[in-house]
mmCIF file with all atom_site columns, all heavy atoms in Angstrom:
data_model
loop_
_atom_site.group_PDB
_atom_site.id
_atom_site.type_symbol
_atom_site.label_atom_id
_atom_site.label_alt_id
_atom_site.label_comp_id
_atom_site.label_asym_id
_atom_site.label_entity_id
_atom_site.label_seq_id
_atom_site.pdbx_PDB_ins_code
_atom_site.Cartn_x
_atom_site.Cartn_y
_atom_site.Cartn_z
_atom_site.occupancy
_atom_site.B_iso_or_equiv
_atom_site.pdbx_formal_charge
_atom_site.auth_seq_id
_atom_site.auth_comp_id
_atom_site.auth_asym_id
_atom_site.auth_atom_id
_atom_site.pdbx_PDB_model_num
ATOM 1   N N   . PRO A 1 1  ? -0.905  -7.822  -1.808  1.00 95.00 ? 1  PRO A N   1
ATOM 2   C CA  . PRO A 1 1  ? 0.447   -7.595  -2.269  1.00 95.00 ? 1  PRO A CA  1
ATOM 3   C C   . PRO A 1 1  ? 1.573   -8.333  -1.325  1.00 95.00 ? 1  PRO A C   1
ATOM 4   O O   . PRO A 1 1  ? 2.443   -8.995  -1.965  1.00 95.00 ? 1  PRO A O   1
ATOM 5   C CB  . PRO A 1 1  ? 0.516   -6.101  -2.261  1.00 95.00 ? 1  PRO A CB  1
ATOM 6   C CG  . PRO A 1 1  ? -0.809  -5.568  -2.380  1.00 95.00 ? 1  PRO A CG  1
ATOM 7   C CD  . PRO A 1 1  ? -1.666  -6.508  -1.741  1.00 95.00 ? 1  PRO A CD  1
ATOM 8   N N   . LYS A 1 2  ? 1.257   -8.328  -0.045  1.00 95.00 ? 2  LYS A N   1
ATOM 9   C CA  . LYS A 1 2  ? 2.292   -8.957  0.741   1.00 95.00 ? 2  LYS A CA  1
ATOM 10  C C   . LYS A 1 2  ? 2.143   -10.510 0.573   1.00 95.00 ? 2  LYS A C   1
ATOM 11  O O   . LYS A 1 2  ? 3.224   -11.162 0.489   1.00 95.00 ? 2  LYS A O   1
ATOM 12  C CB  . LYS A 1 2  ? 1.983   -8.589  2.141   1.00 95.00 ? 2  LYS A CB  1
ATOM 13  C CG  . LYS A 1 2  ? 2.353   -7.115  2.563   1.00 95.00 ? 2  LYS A CG  1
ATOM 14  C CD  . LYS A 1 2  ? 2.314   -6.947  3.995   1.00 95.00 ? 2  LYS A CD  1
ATOM 15  C CE  . LYS A 1 2  ? 0.974   -6.918  4.637   1.00 95.00 ? 2  LYS A CE  1
ATOM 16  N NZ  . LYS A 1 2  ? 0.984   -6.524  6.073   1.00 95.00 ? 2  LYS A NZ  1
ATOM 17  N N   . LYS A 1 3  ? 0.883   -11.030 0.525   1.00 93.00 ? 3  LYS A N   1
ATOM 18  C CA  . LYS A 1 3  ? 0.731   -12.502 0.544   1.00 93.00 ? 3  LYS A CA  1
ATOM 19  C C   . LYS A 1 3  ? 1.085   -13.133 -0.937  1.00 93.00 ? 3  LYS A C   1
ATOM 20  O O   . LYS A 1 3  ? 1.701   -14.130 -0.943  1.00 93.00 ? 3  LYS A O   1
ATOM 21  C CB  . LYS A 1 3  ? -0.584  -12.784 1.060   1.00 93.00 ? 3  LYS A CB  1
ATOM 22  C CG  . LYS A 1 3  ? -0.931  -14.285 1.143   1.00 93.00 ? 3  LYS A CG  1
ATOM 23  C CD  . LYS A 1 3  ? -2.217  -14.714 1.722   1.00 93.00 ? 3  LYS A CD  1
ATOM 24  C CE  . LYS A 1 3  ? -2.518  -16.182 1.857   1.00 93.00 ? 3  LYS A CE  1
ATOM 25  N NZ  . LYS A 1 3  ? -3.749  -16.526 2.350   1.00 93.00 ? 3  LYS A NZ  1
ATOM 26  N N   . LEU A 1 4  ? 0.488   -12.426 -1.888  1.00 90.00 ? 4  LEU A N   1
ATOM 27  C CA  . LEU A 1 4  ? 0.518   -13.007 -3.227  1.00 90.00 ? 4  LEU A CA  1
ATOM 28  C C   . LEU A 1 4  ? 1.709   -12.580 -4.067  1.00 90.00 ? 4  LEU A C   1
ATOM 29  O O   . LEU A 1 4  ? 2.294   -13.316 -4.898  1.00 90.00 ? 4  LEU A O   1
ATOM 30  C CB  . LEU A 1 4  ? -0.682  -12.727 -3.917  1.00 90.00 ? 4  LEU A CB  1
ATOM 31  C CG  . LEU A 1 4  ? -2.124  -13.282 -3.312  1.00 90.00 ? 4  LEU A CG  1
ATOM 32  C CD1 . LEU A 1 4  ? -3.292  -13.008 -4.054  1.00 90.00 ? 4  LEU A CD1 1
ATOM 33  C CD2 . LEU A 1 4  ? -1.927  -14.826 -3.184  1.00 90.00 ? 4  LEU A CD2 1
ATOM 34  N N   . LEU A 1 5  ? 2.250   -11.266 -3.923  1.00 91.00 ? 5  LEU A N   1
ATOM 35  C CA  . LEU A 1 5  ? 3.357   -10.758 -4.649  1.00 91.00 ? 5  LEU A CA  1
ATOM 36  C C   . LEU A 1 5  ? 4.533   -10.831 -3.861  1.00 91.00 ? 5  LEU A C   1
ATOM 37  O O   . LEU A 1 5  ? 5.658   -10.497 -4.506  1.00 91.00 ? 5  LEU A O   1
ATOM 38  C CB  . LEU A 1 5  ? 2.987   -9.373  -5.058  1.00 91.00 ? 5  LEU A CB  1
ATOM 39  C CG  . LEU A 1 5  ? 1.727   -9.169  -6.073  1.00 91.00 ? 5  LEU A CG  1
ATOM 40  C CD1 . LEU A 1 5  ? 1.606   -7.646  -6.390  1.00 91.00 ? 5  LEU A CD1 1
ATOM 41  C CD2 . LEU A 1 5  ? 1.735   -10.117 -7.120  1.00 91.00 ? 5  LEU A CD2 1
ATOM 42  N N   . GLY A 1 6  ? 4.501   -11.012 -2.557  1.00 93.00 ? 6  GLY A N   1
ATOM 43  C CA  . GLY A 1 6  ? 5.744   -11.173 -1.788  1.00 93.00 ? 6  GLY A CA  1
ATOM 44  C C   . GLY A 1 6  ? 6.353   -9.717  -1.577  1.00 93.00 ? 6  GLY A C   1
ATOM 45  O O   . GLY A 1 6  ? 7.509   -9.625  -1.402  1.00 93.00 ? 6  GLY A O   1
ATOM 46  N N   . VAL A 1 7  ? 5.491   -8.690  -1.609  1.00 95.00 ? 7  VAL A N   1
ATOM 47  C CA  . VAL A 1 7  ? 5.849   -7.303  -1.464  1.00 95.00 ? 7  VAL A CA  1
ATOM 48  C C   . VAL A 1 7  ? 6.400   -7.341  0.144   1.00 95.00 ? 7  VAL A C   1
ATOM 49  O O   . VAL A 1 7  ? 5.591   -7.508  0.978   1.00 95.00 ? 7  VAL A O   1
ATOM 50  C CB  . VAL A 1 7  ? 4.930   -6.314  -1.735  1.00 95.00 ? 7  VAL A CB  1
ATOM 51  C CG1 . VAL A 1 7  ? 5.491   -4.936  -1.448  1.00 95.00 ? 7  VAL A CG1 1
ATOM 52  C CG2 . VAL A 1 7  ? 4.638   -6.372  -3.353  1.00 95.00 ? 7  VAL A CG2 1
ATOM 53  N N   . PRO A 1 8  ? 7.546   -6.641  0.506   1.00 96.00 ? 8  PRO A N   1
ATOM 54  C CA  . PRO A 1 8  ? 7.829   -6.452  1.929   1.00 96.00 ? 8  PRO A CA  1
ATOM 55  C C   . PRO A 1 8  ? 6.907   -5.535  2.659   1.00 96.00 ? 8  PRO A C   1
ATOM 56  O O   . PRO A 1 8  ? 6.162   -4.771  2.015   1.00 96.00 ? 8  PRO A O   1
ATOM 57  C CB  . PRO A 1 8  ? 9.193   -5.811  1.762   1.00 96.00 ? 8  PRO A CB  1
ATOM 58  C CG  . PRO A 1 8  ? 9.727   -6.211  0.500   1.00 96.00 ? 8  PRO A CG  1
ATOM 59  C CD  . PRO A 1 8  ? 8.684   -6.401  -0.415  1.00 96.00 ? 8  PRO A CD  1
ATOM 60  N N   . ALA A 1 9  ? 6.566   -5.802  3.814   1.00 95.00 ? 9  ALA A N   1
ATOM 61  C CA  . ALA A 1 9  ? 5.605   -5.114  4.576   1.00 95.00 ? 9  ALA A CA  1
ATOM 62  C C   . ALA A 1 9  ? 5.673   -3.656  4.511   1.00 95.00 ? 9  ALA A C   1
ATOM 63  O O   . ALA A 1 9  ? 4.681   -2.954  4.343   1.00 95.00 ? 9  ALA A O   1
ATOM 64  C CB  . ALA A 1 9  ? 5.468   -5.664  6.054   1.00 95.00 ? 9  ALA A CB  1
ATOM 65  N N   . ASP A 1 10 ? 6.931   -3.048  4.770   1.00 96.00 ? 10 ASP A N   1
ATOM 66  C CA  . ASP A 1 10 ? 7.019   -1.658  4.786   1.00 96.00 ? 10 ASP A CA  1
ATOM 67  C C   . ASP A 1 10 ? 6.905   -1.007  3.408   1.00 96.00 ? 10 ASP A C   1
ATOM 68  O O   . ASP A 1 10 ? 6.197   -0.095  3.309   1.00 96.00 ? 10 ASP A O   1
ATOM 69  C CB  . ASP A 1 10 ? 8.394   -1.268  5.376   1.00 96.00 ? 10 ASP A CB  1
ATOM 70  C CG  . ASP A 1 10 ? 9.530   -1.892  4.520   1.00 96.00 ? 10 ASP A CG  1
ATOM 71  O OD1 . ASP A 1 10 ? 9.262   -2.903  3.680   1.00 96.00 ? 10 ASP A OD1 1
ATOM 72  O OD2 . ASP A 1 10 ? 10.754  -1.371  4.647   1.00 96.00 ? 10 ASP A OD2 1
ATOM 73  N N   . GLN A 1 11 ? 7.204   -1.754  2.332   1.00 97.00 ? 11 GLN A N   1
ATOM 74  C CA  . GLN A 1 11 ? 6.946   -1.165  0.945   1.00 97.00 ? 11 GLN A CA  1
ATOM 75  C C   . GLN A 1 11 ? 5.435   -1.314  0.757   1.00 97.00 ? 11 GLN A C   1
ATOM 76  O O   . GLN A 1 11 ? 4.807   -0.451  0.093   1.00 97.00 ? 11 GLN A O   1
ATOM 77  C CB  . GLN A 1 11 ? 7.738   -2.094  -0.084  1.00 97.00 ? 11 GLN A CB  1
ATOM 78  C CG  . GLN A 1 11 ? 7.517   -1.706  -1.457  1.00 97.00 ? 11 GLN A CG  1
ATOM 79  C CD  . GLN A 1 11 ? 8.226   -2.561  -2.474  1.00 97.00 ? 11 GLN A CD  1
ATOM 80  O OE1 . GLN A 1 11 ? 9.081   -3.333  -2.064  1.00 97.00 ? 11 GLN A OE1 1
ATOM 81  N NE2 . GLN A 1 11 ? 7.727   -2.503  -3.694  1.00 97.00 ? 11 GLN A NE2 1
ATOM 82  N N   . ALA A 1 12 ? 4.734   -2.402  1.087   1.00 96.00 ? 12 ALA A N   1
ATOM 83  C CA  . ALA A 1 12 ? 3.345   -2.622  0.906   1.00 96.00 ? 12 ALA A CA  1
ATOM 84  C C   . ALA A 1 12 ? 2.566   -1.447  1.513   1.00 96.00 ? 12 ALA A C   1
ATOM 85  O O   . ALA A 1 12 ? 1.605   -0.895  0.916   1.00 96.00 ? 12 ALA A O   1
ATOM 86  C CB  . ALA A 1 12 ? 2.929   -3.946  1.278   1.00 96.00 ? 12 ALA A CB  1
ATOM 87  N N   . GLU A 1 13 ? 3.041   -1.067  2.831   1.00 96.00 ? 13 GLU A N   1
ATOM 88  C CA  . GLU A 1 13 ? 2.301   -0.007  3.504   1.00 96.00 ? 13 GLU A CA  1
ATOM 89  C C   . GLU A 1 13 ? 2.496   1.297   2.822   1.00 96.00 ? 13 GLU A C   1
ATOM 90  O O   . GLU A 1 13 ? 1.658   2.113   2.803   1.00 96.00 ? 13 GLU A O   1
ATOM 91  C CB  . GLU A 1 13 ? 2.687   -0.102  4.917   1.00 96.00 ? 13 GLU A CB  1
ATOM 92  C CG  . GLU A 1 13 ? 2.263   -1.295  5.690   1.00 96.00 ? 13 GLU A CG  1
ATOM 93  C CD  . GLU A 1 13 ? 2.670   -1.302  7.097   1.00 96.00 ? 13 GLU A CD  1
ATOM 94  O OE1 . GLU A 1 13 ? 3.113   -0.343  7.582   1.00 96.00 ? 13 GLU A OE1 1
ATOM 95  O OE2 . GLU A 1 13 ? 2.270   -2.255  7.880   1.00 96.00 ? 13 GLU A OE2 1
ATOM 96  N N   . ARG A 1 14 ? 3.758   1.519   2.431   1.00 96.00 ? 14 ARG A N   1
ATOM 97  C CA  . ARG A 1 14 ? 3.890   2.791   1.625   1.00 96.00 ? 14 ARG A CA  1
ATOM 98  C C   . ARG A 1 14 ? 3.140   2.952   0.456   1.00 96.00 ? 14 ARG A C   1
ATOM 99  O O   . ARG A 1 14 ? 2.568   3.995   0.248   1.00 96.00 ? 14 ARG A O   1
ATOM 100 C CB  . ARG A 1 14 ? 5.505   2.952   1.303   1.00 96.00 ? 14 ARG A CB  1
ATOM 101 C CG  . ARG A 1 14 ? 6.401   3.295   2.451   1.00 96.00 ? 14 ARG A CG  1
ATOM 102 C CD  . ARG A 1 14 ? 7.810   3.742   2.029   1.00 96.00 ? 14 ARG A CD  1
ATOM 103 N NE  . ARG A 1 14 ? 8.408   2.798   0.939   1.00 96.00 ? 14 ARG A NE  1
ATOM 104 C CZ  . ARG A 1 14 ? 9.169   1.872   1.295   1.00 96.00 ? 14 ARG A CZ  1
ATOM 105 N NH1 . ARG A 1 14 ? 9.362   1.476   2.670   1.00 96.00 ? 14 ARG A NH1 1
ATOM 106 N NH2 . ARG A 1 14 ? 9.701   1.140   0.419   1.00 96.00 ? 14 ARG A NH2 1
ATOM 107 N N   . GLU A 1 15 ? 3.120   1.827   -0.318  1.00 96.00 ? 15 GLU A N   1
ATOM 108 C CA  . GLU A 1 15 ? 2.400   1.873   -1.606  1.00 96.00 ? 15 GLU A CA  1
ATOM 109 C C   . GLU A 1 15 ? 0.850   1.908   -1.310  1.00 96.00 ? 15 GLU A C   1
ATOM 110 O O   . GLU A 1 15 ? 0.125   2.594   -2.071  1.00 96.00 ? 15 GLU A O   1
ATOM 111 C CB  . GLU A 1 15 ? 2.800   0.672   -2.359  1.00 96.00 ? 15 GLU A CB  1
ATOM 112 C CG  . GLU A 1 15 ? 4.074   0.673   -2.934  1.00 96.00 ? 15 GLU A CG  1
ATOM 113 C CD  . GLU A 1 15 ? 4.497   -0.556  -3.721  1.00 96.00 ? 15 GLU A CD  1
ATOM 114 O OE1 . GLU A 1 15 ? 3.708   -1.397  -3.763  1.00 96.00 ? 15 GLU A OE1 1
ATOM 115 O OE2 . GLU A 1 15 ? 5.626   -0.670  -4.346  1.00 96.00 ? 15 GLU A OE2 1
ATOM 116 N N   . GLY A 1 16 ? 0.496   1.228   -0.208  1.00 96.00 ? 16 GLY A N   1
ATOM 117 C CA  . GLY A 1 16 ? -0.915  1.254   0.154   1.00 96.00 ? 16 GLY A CA  1
ATOM 118 C C   . GLY A 1 16 ? -1.363  2.682   0.574   1.00 96.00 ? 16 GLY A C   1
ATOM 119 O O   . GLY A 1 16 ? -2.392  3.122   0.253   1.00 96.00 ? 16 GLY A O   1
ATOM 120 N N   . MET A 1 17 ? -0.586  3.475   1.308   1.00 97.00 ? 17 MET A N   1
ATOM 121 C CA  . MET A 1 17 ? -0.860  4.820   1.709   1.00 97.00 ? 17 MET A CA  1
ATOM 122 C C   . MET A 1 17 ? -1.005  5.675   0.494   1.00 97.00 ? 17 MET A C   1
ATOM 123 O O   . MET A 1 17 ? -1.869  6.558   0.476   1.00 97.00 ? 17 MET A O   1
ATOM 124 C CB  . MET A 1 17 ? 0.067   5.250   2.705   1.00 97.00 ? 17 MET A CB  1
ATOM 125 C CG  . MET A 1 17 ? -0.176  4.699   4.132   1.00 97.00 ? 17 MET A CG  1
ATOM 126 S SD  . MET A 1 17 ? -1.685  5.125   4.839   1.00 97.00 ? 17 MET A SD  1
ATOM 127 C CE  . MET A 1 17 ? -1.733  6.989   4.765   1.00 97.00 ? 17 MET A CE  1
ATOM 128 N N   . ALA A 1 18 ? -0.174  5.421   -0.348  1.00 96.00 ? 18 ALA A N   1
ATOM 129 C CA  . ALA A 1 18 ? -0.090  6.180   -1.681  1.00 96.00 ? 18 ALA A CA  1
ATOM 130 C C   . ALA A 1 18 ? -1.430  5.927   -2.424  1.00 96.00 ? 18 ALA A C   1
ATOM 131 O O   . ALA A 1 18 ? -2.151  6.979   -2.916  1.00 96.00 ? 18 ALA A O   1
ATOM 132 C CB  . ALA A 1 18 ? 1.163   5.911   -2.532  1.00 96.00 ? 18 ALA A CB  1
ATOM 133 N N   . LEU A 1 19 ? -1.921  4.776   -2.402  1.00 96.00 ? 19 LEU A N   1
ATOM 134 C CA  . LEU A 1 19 ? -3.207  4.571   -3.139  1.00 96.00 ? 19 LEU A CA  1
ATOM 135 C C   . LEU A 1 19 ? -4.311  5.095   -2.317  1.00 96.00 ? 19 LEU A C   1
ATOM 136 O O   . LEU A 1 19 ? -5.256  5.616   -3.018  1.00 96.00 ? 19 LEU A O   1
ATOM 137 C CB  . LEU A 1 19 ? -3.347  3.017   -3.303  1.00 96.00 ? 19 LEU A CB  1
ATOM 138 C CG  . LEU A 1 19 ? -2.442  2.313   -4.294  1.00 96.00 ? 19 LEU A CG  1
ATOM 139 C CD1 . LEU A 1 19 ? -2.539  0.779   -4.210  1.00 96.00 ? 19 LEU A CD1 1
ATOM 140 C CD2 . LEU A 1 19 ? -2.612  2.690   -5.651  1.00 96.00 ? 19 LEU A CD2 1
ATOM 141 N N   . LEU A 1 20 ? -4.245  4.960   -1.019  1.00 96.00 ? 20 LEU A N   1
ATOM 142 C CA  . LEU A 1 20 ? -5.403  5.596   -0.298  1.00 96.00 ? 20 LEU A CA  1
ATOM 143 C C   . LEU A 1 20 ? -5.351  7.169   -0.442  1.00 96.00 ? 20 LEU A C   1
ATOM 144 O O   . LEU A 1 20 ? -6.431  7.715   -0.425  1.00 96.00 ? 20 LEU A O   1
ATOM 145 C CB  . LEU A 1 20 ? -5.296  5.250   1.266   1.00 96.00 ? 20 LEU A CB  1
ATOM 146 C CG  . LEU A 1 20 ? -5.452  3.759   1.619   1.00 96.00 ? 20 LEU A CG  1
ATOM 147 C CD1 . LEU A 1 20 ? -5.300  3.549   3.043   1.00 96.00 ? 20 LEU A CD1 1
ATOM 148 C CD2 . LEU A 1 20 ? -6.924  3.317   1.161   1.00 96.00 ? 20 LEU A CD2 1
ATOM 149 N N   . GLN A 1 21 ? -4.331  7.665   -0.587  1.00 95.00 ? 21 GLN A N   1
ATOM 150 C CA  . GLN A 1 21 ? -4.154  9.245   -0.729  1.00 95.00 ? 21 GLN A CA  1
ATOM 151 C C   . GLN A 1 21 ? -4.870  9.307   -2.145  1.00 95.00 ? 21 GLN A C   1
ATOM 152 O O   . GLN A 1 21 ? -5.550  10.425  -2.359  1.00 95.00 ? 21 GLN A O   1
ATOM 153 C CB  . GLN A 1 21 ? -2.689  9.588   -0.859  1.00 95.00 ? 21 GLN A CB  1
ATOM 154 C CG  . GLN A 1 21 ? -2.514  11.109  -1.174  1.00 95.00 ? 21 GLN A CG  1
ATOM 155 C CD  . GLN A 1 21 ? -2.882  11.950  0.144   1.00 95.00 ? 21 GLN A CD  1
ATOM 156 O OE1 . GLN A 1 21 ? -2.652  11.540  1.232   1.00 95.00 ? 21 GLN A OE1 1
ATOM 157 N NE2 . GLN A 1 21 ? -3.506  13.084  -0.087  1.00 95.00 ? 21 GLN A NE2 1
ATOM 158 N N   . ARG A 1 22 ? -4.515  8.567   -3.106  1.00 93.00 ? 22 ARG A N   1
ATOM 159 C CA  . ARG A 1 22 ? -5.149  8.704   -4.440  1.00 93.00 ? 22 ARG A CA  1
ATOM 160 C C   . ARG A 1 22 ? -6.693  8.696   -4.448  1.00 93.00 ? 22 ARG A C   1
ATOM 161 O O   . ARG A 1 22 ? -7.296  9.401   -5.209  1.00 93.00 ? 22 ARG A O   1
ATOM 162 C CB  . ARG A 1 22 ? -4.567  7.713   -5.353  1.00 93.00 ? 22 ARG A CB  1
ATOM 163 C CG  . ARG A 1 22 ? -5.035  7.933   -6.795  1.00 93.00 ? 22 ARG A CG  1
ATOM 164 C CD  . ARG A 1 22 ? -4.395  6.971   -7.804  1.00 93.00 ? 22 ARG A CD  1
ATOM 165 N NE  . ARG A 1 22 ? -4.853  7.242   -9.118  1.00 93.00 ? 22 ARG A NE  1
ATOM 166 C CZ  . ARG A 1 22 ? -4.462  6.639   -10.224 1.00 93.00 ? 22 ARG A CZ  1
ATOM 167 N NH1 . ARG A 1 22 ? -3.369  5.832   -10.110 1.00 93.00 ? 22 ARG A NH1 1
ATOM 168 N NH2 . ARG A 1 22 ? -4.999  6.970   -11.368 1.00 93.00 ? 22 ARG A NH2 1
ATOM 169 N N   . VAL A 1 23 ? -7.218  7.794   -3.709  1.00 95.00 ? 23 VAL A N   1
ATOM 170 C CA  . VAL A 1 23 ? -8.642  7.633   -3.706  1.00 95.00 ? 23 VAL A CA  1
ATOM 171 C C   . VAL A 1 23 ? -9.342  8.525   -2.623  1.00 95.00 ? 23 VAL A C   1
ATOM 172 O O   . VAL A 1 23 ? -10.540 8.438   -2.386  1.00 95.00 ? 23 VAL A O   1
ATOM 173 C CB  . VAL A 1 23 ? -9.031  6.238   -3.566  1.00 95.00 ? 23 VAL A CB  1
ATOM 174 C CG1 . VAL A 1 23 ? -8.499  5.348   -4.708  1.00 95.00 ? 23 VAL A CG1 1
ATOM 175 C CG2 . VAL A 1 23 ? -8.704  5.598   -2.114  1.00 95.00 ? 23 VAL A CG2 1
ATOM 176 N N   . GLY A 1 24 ? -8.589  9.350   -1.921  1.00 94.00 ? 24 GLY A N   1
ATOM 177 C CA  . GLY A 1 24 ? -8.968  10.332  -0.933  1.00 94.00 ? 24 GLY A CA  1
ATOM 178 C C   . GLY A 1 24 ? -9.375  9.633   0.421   1.00 94.00 ? 24 GLY A C   1
ATOM 179 O O   . GLY A 1 24 ? -10.294 10.229  1.092   1.00 94.00 ? 24 GLY A O   1
ATOM 180 N N   . LEU A 1 25 ? -8.595  8.675   0.752   1.00 95.00 ? 25 LEU A N   1
ATOM 181 C CA  . LEU A 1 25 ? -8.952  7.839   2.091   1.00 95.00 ? 25 LEU A CA  1
ATOM 182 C C   . LEU A 1 25 ? -7.786  7.800   2.891   1.00 95.00 ? 25 LEU A C   1
ATOM 183 O O   . LEU A 1 25 ? -7.764  6.968   3.823   1.00 95.00 ? 25 LEU A O   1
ATOM 184 C CB  . LEU A 1 25 ? -9.548  6.570   1.687   1.00 95.00 ? 25 LEU A CB  1
ATOM 185 C CG  . LEU A 1 25 ? -10.840 6.346   1.022   1.00 95.00 ? 25 LEU A CG  1
ATOM 186 C CD1 . LEU A 1 25 ? -11.290 4.908   0.894   1.00 95.00 ? 25 LEU A CD1 1
ATOM 187 C CD2 . LEU A 1 25 ? -11.913 6.945   2.079   1.00 95.00 ? 25 LEU A CD2 1
ATOM 188 N N   . ALA A 1 26 ? -6.706  8.651   2.713   1.00 96.00 ? 26 ALA A N   1
ATOM 189 C CA  . ALA A 1 26 ? -5.558  8.551   3.553   1.00 96.00 ? 26 ALA A CA  1
ATOM 190 C C   . ALA A 1 26 ? -5.836  8.729   5.116   1.00 96.00 ? 26 ALA A C   1
ATOM 191 O O   . ALA A 1 26 ? -5.325  8.033   5.934   1.00 96.00 ? 26 ALA A O   1
ATOM 192 C CB  . ALA A 1 26 ? -4.515  9.503   3.107   1.00 96.00 ? 26 ALA A CB  1
ATOM 193 N N   . ASP A 1 27 ? -6.812  9.527   5.337   1.00 96.00 ? 27 ASP A N   1
ATOM 194 C CA  . ASP A 1 27 ? -7.296  9.758   6.692   1.00 96.00 ? 27 ASP A CA  1
ATOM 195 C C   . ASP A 1 27 ? -8.005  8.663   7.388   1.00 96.00 ? 27 ASP A C   1
ATOM 196 O O   . ASP A 1 27 ? -8.320  8.680   8.485   1.00 96.00 ? 27 ASP A O   1
ATOM 197 C CB  . ASP A 1 27 ? -8.009  11.151  6.912   1.00 96.00 ? 27 ASP A CB  1
ATOM 198 C CG  . ASP A 1 27 ? -9.339  11.046  6.112   1.00 96.00 ? 27 ASP A CG  1
ATOM 199 O OD1 . ASP A 1 27 ? -9.444  10.403  4.983   1.00 96.00 ? 27 ASP A OD1 1
ATOM 200 O OD2 . ASP A 1 27 ? -10.237 11.792  6.500   1.00 96.00 ? 27 ASP A OD2 1
#
């Protein structure tokens, strides 16, 4: 997302954590 979609780093990390939460891997 950061490299190809140009998503800012902080936004990419927030969205990434949300996805990891969804798949049960936040920890």
Side-chain angles (χ1 to χ4, degrees):
K2 289 192 291 185
K3 183 175 181 179
L4 299 177
L5 300 183
V7 177
D10 58 344
Q11 179 184 343
E13 290 183 7
R14 286 197 307 272
E15 293 177 354
M17 283 301 301
L19 289 174
L20 291 177
Q21 180 74 38
R22 178 171 186 177
V23 300
L25 290 177
D27 61 332

